[in-house]
């Protein structure tokens, strides 16, 4: 399980050229992981693989991806 956080006050897709969408490996497979809504970006956590490439590529540090440990029933 993963948690994708986009800091709306730091996200500036008109200035950066949408680097998060450009370098996302799932986006290249056309599964629409990173969706730009209006002036800001939103990441769908259900299709995100948690690779954190978007975190490294964002020039404004607006994205955080936290991989959470899975809890077993045992």
């Amino acid at each position: 399980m993963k948690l994708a956080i986009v800091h709306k006050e730091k996200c500036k897709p008109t200035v950066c050229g949408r680097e998060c969408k450009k370098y996302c490996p799932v986006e290249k497979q056309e599964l629409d992981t990173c969706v730009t809504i209006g002036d800001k970006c939103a990441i769908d956590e259900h299709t995100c693989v948690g690779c954190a490439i978007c975190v490294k590529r964002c020039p404004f540090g607006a994205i955080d991806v936290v991989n959470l440990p899975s809890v077993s029933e045992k």
Side-chain angles (χ1 to χ4, degrees), residues 69-74:
S70 61
V71 179
S72 63
E73 294 291 326
K74 294 180 181 181

Side-chain angles (χ1 to χ4, degrees), residues 3-54:
L3 182 65
I5 303 165
V6 178
H7 303 283
K8 301 292 183 185
E9 67 278 358
K10 293 181 180 179
C11 183
K12 298 176 179 99
T14 56
V15 178
C16 73
R18 295 182 173 100
E19 301 290 321
C20 56
K21 189 174 183 90
K22 189 187 300 182
Y23 292 103
C24 178
V26 180
E27 190 68 36
K28 289 180 181 179
Q29 295 176 358
E30 299 176 2
L31 295 176
D32 295 332
T33 298
C34 186
V35 180
T36 303
I37 300 174
D39 293 335
K40 304 299 175 186
C41 176
I43 298 175
D44 183 16
E45 296 169 349
H46 298 290
T47 57
C48 178
V49 294
C51 65
I53 292 174
C54 57

